[in-house]
Amino acid sequence: MAERVSISAGKKRNLKLLADPEGRFRMMAIDQRGSLKRMLAKVMGIEPDDVKYEDLARVKKIITKVLSPYSSATLMDPVYGYPYSIDYIPKDVGVLLAFEETGYEKAGPNGRERRSRPIEGWSVEKAKKAGANAVKLLIYYRPEASDETLKHQQEFVKRVGEECERYDIPFLLELVSYPLLEDEIAASPDPEKPTTDTPVFARRKPEIVMKTAAEFSKPEY
Amino acid sequence: MAERVSISAGKKRNLKLLADPEGRFRMMAIDQRGSLKRMLAKVMGIEPDDVKYEDLARVKKIITKVLSPYSSATLMDPVYGYPYSIDYIPKDVGVLLAFEETGYEKAGPNGRERRSRPIEGWSVEKAKKAGANAVKLLIYYRPEASDETLKHQQEFVKRVGEECERYDIPFLLELVSYPLLEDEIAASPDPEKPTTDTPVFARRKPEIVMKTAAEFSKPEY
């Protein structure tokens, strides 16, 4: 029998603001940072590190302005996105703010494990003050990682979840897998740039997803 | 020359959520407590104190359900209104929550001065968590009141204003005058129930309004 989950009025109101009038979540994500920087660099014929803050902010602003009105809620990052794009979010469109720093810290015995970090100086309290209707956290996760990395990622999720509960704001957890084991690396076309786009990873993925979902479905989160 | 007022992004977003798409504030107030109780009592042929919590909450719920969709924002009280009405506020309609306890504390040399109090256990932080886009404070004010009463009301406004600033939430101050001086009381049809609906009060009102506005336009608020 499913457990009844009670939900605060404030959180319920926020969930409503994220959904369309039919109650469906039609969210638009424009919180990409590292990947958008690499795309822009390619188009501009420069190195990713040479892409200027203003260019990234401007591209996000334009995309937000054009696409946000078609979404029930728009996911922004607080660094390049929110300051320049918030004025273009219509009043009937909800606001989600990303919590995690872009990318990851390399860790583990082979340096291929990924640990997430918060954006420096950012907090759930600040997201709430900025008018966010939800906080989104992207977490890299492989159940096969070392105990230290697993614990690091689990503690991070717990901490952000607790903060969200304190501020009555919905918490959206985005769990992302990545290539980690030797055979996954070896199967990648360029082992220097391992990818999940291989048969060996595809075969393993259902198990990864189920184990990851099982972990974060525990009541302590 | 007018001073430039800077406004935080969170507060600006909230102001947008209170306005209609043309930027006009079309607000519906259903935060009346004492007066609505008296109206209900009259209709039901009972004493105001005998009006049940459920009846007041139900009337507010029905009014909110019917009228809120026509407003750009709806003002509710957190005691009888919010818990039962919040589900009927459409997602494109903003939420204002009242801060003051209904009525007033009698004070001053003739017992006719009015001092405001917060709703017990309520705070700007809780209003923000509940999903409010603004906090509204009704303050009774007569510049002719005793220094103690003036100070009490001024300090109350300052405290709520500071809390609103801390949580980046707009602060709506509703200043209300009331009959206080002897000639205003004497001119009332029933001096036991003094009213502002007299020629002597009407003549004095412009001065009351200007002095009150001057006080609360000071930079310390």
Side-chain angles (χ1 to χ4, degrees):
Chain A
M1 205 177 74
E3 202 191 341
R4 254 321 245 292
V5 174
S6 81
I7 186 168
S8 73
K11 198 188 274 186
K12 197 172 164 195
R13 169 82 183 160
N14 275 315
L15 284 173
K16 182 176 182 171
L17 297 179
L18 297 175
D20 67 15
E22 283 76 42
R24 286 175 307 221
F25 296 113
R26 293 187 293 106
M27 299 179 184
M28 195 272 280
I30 184 65
D31 70 322
Q32 300 82 354
R33 281 148 286 170
S35 58
L36 190 60
K37 205 178 246 186
R38 287 190 293 275
M39 282 170 64
L40 272 182
K42 210 170 162 184
V43 173
M44 297 168 82
I46 57 176
E47 289 300 310
D49 282 349
D50 294 334
V51 173
K52 288 199 192 103
Y53 175 93
E54 293 75 28
D55 289 331
L56 204 51
R58 194 147 43 100
V59 166
K60 281 172 177 269
K61 187 180 82 175
I62 294 165
I63 293 174
T64 303
K65 197 174 169 179
V66 174
L67 292 183
S68 178
Y70 298 101
S71 69
S72 68
T74 297
L75 168 60
M76 290 179 285
D77 76 87
V79 180
Y80 304 90
Y82 179 87
Y84 305 94
S85 305
I86 182 65
D87 284 350
Y88 298 102
I89 310 284
K91 65 172 285 195
D92 61 342
V93 172
V95 170
L96 298 103
L97 284 173
F99 194 87
E100 81 286 349
E101 179 56 276
T102 188
Y104 47 84
E105 196 179 83
K106 291 176 184 172
N110 64 3
R112 290 208 177 89
E113 297 182 357
R114 301 181 181 185
R115 294 189 190 169
S116 308
R117 307 142 301 172
I119 293 169
E120 209 185 313
W122 190 235
S123 67
V124 171
E125 185 187 358
K126 286 183 182 171
K128 178 84 181 165
K129 281 174 67 172
N133 302 113
V135 163
K136 167 257 182 176
L137 177 64
L138 184 153
I139 284 284
Y140 285 107
Y141 203 81
R142 281 297 300 261
E144 302 87 344
S146 65
D147 284 351
E148 291 73 23
T149 293
L150 292 183
K151 189 155 185 273
H152 179 276
Q153 298 298 75
Q154 292 163 3
E155 290 300 320
F156 191 25
V157 172
K158 264 182 219 166
R159 184 168 74 75
V160 178
E162 279 162 10
E163 270 195 61
C164 285
E165 185 148 342
R166 185 152 62 245
Y167 292 97
D168 272 4
I169 189 169
F171 175 34
L172 271 76
L173 179 60
E174 181 181 0
L175 297 161
V176 176
S177 58
Y178 58 94
L180 175 66
L181 305 187
E182 286 307 325
D183 55 352
E184 295 160 12
I185 310 297
S188 296
D190 176 1
E192 290 300 306
K193 292 177 179 174
T195 168
T196 55
D197 203 10
T198 60
V200 58
F201 192 88
R203 273 192 297 273
R204 203 166 277 148
K205 182 129 193 199
E207 190 197 330
I208 297 171
V209 169
M210 281 188 287
K211 280 191 176 167
T212 303
E215 172 62 32
F216 293 102
S217 299
K218 289 181 185 168
E220 56 257 43
Y221 293 102
Chain B
M1 204 177 71
E3 201 192 340
R4 252 323 241 292
V5 173
S6 81
I7 186 168
S8 73
K11 198 188 274 186
K12 197 172 164 196
R13 170 81 183 160
N14 275 315
L15 285 173
K16 183 176 181 172
L17 296 179
L18 296 175
D20 67 15
E22 282 76 42
R24 286 174 308 220
F25 296 113
R26 293 187 294 107
M27 299 179 185
M28 195 272 281
I30 184 63
D31 70 322
Q32 300 81 354
R33 282 147 285 170
S35 57
L36 190 59
K37 207 178 245 186
R38 287 190 292 276
M39 283 170 65
L40 272 182
K42 210 171 162 182
V43 173
M44 297 168 83
I46 57 176
E47 289 300 310
D49 283 349
D50 294 333
V51 173
K52 288 199 191 102
Y53 175 93
E54 293 76 28
D55 289 331
L56 205 52
R58 195 148 42 100
V59 166
K60 280 171 177 270
K61 188 180 80 175
I62 294 166
I63 294 174
T64 304
K65 197 174 169 179
V66 174
L67 293 183
S68 178
Y70 298 101
S71 69
S72 69
T74 298
L75 167 60
M76 290 179 285
D77 76 86
V79 180
Y80 304 90
Y82 179 86
Y84 305 94
S85 305
I86 182 66
D87 285 350
Y88 298 102
I89 310 284
K91 66 171 285 195
D92 61 342
V93 172
V95 170
L96 298 103
L97 284 173
F99 194 85
E100 81 286 349
E101 179 57 275
T102 188
Y104 47 83
E105 195 178 83
K106 291 176 184 171
N110 64 3
R112 290 209 177 88
E113 297 182 357
R114 301 182 181 185
R115 293 188 190 170
S116 308
R117 307 143 300 172
I119 293 170
E120 210 186 314
W122 191 234
S123 67
V124 171
E125 185 188 358
K126 286 183 182 171
K128 179 84 181 165
K129 281 174 66 172
N133 302 114
V135 163
K136 167 256 182 177
L137 176 65
L138 184 153
I139 284 284
Y140 285 107
Y141 203 81
R142 280 298 300 262
E144 302 87 343
S146 65
D147 284 352
E148 291 74 22
T149 294
L150 292 183
K151 189 154 185 273
H152 179 276
Q153 298 298 73
Q154 292 163 2
E155 290 300 320
F156 191 25
V157 172
K158 263 183 220 166
R159 185 169 73 76
V160 179
E162 279 162 10
E163 271 194 61
C164 285
E165 185 148 342
R166 185 151 63 244
Y167 292 97
D168 271 5
I169 188 169
F171 175 33
L172 271 75
L173 179 60
E174 181 181 0
L175 297 161
V176 176
S177 59
Y178 58 95
L180 175 66
L181 305 186
E182 286 307 325
D183 56 351
E184 295 159 12
I185 310 297
S188 297
D190 176 0
E192 290 300 306
K193 292 178 179 173
T195 168
T196 55
D197 203 11
T198 60
V200 58
F201 192 89
R203 273 192 297 272
R204 204 166 277 149
K205 182 127 193 200
E207 191 197 331
I208 297 171
V209 169
M210 281 188 288
K211 280 191 176 167
T212 303
E215 172 61 32
F216 293 101
S217 300
K218 289 181 184 167
E220 58 257 44
Y221 293 102

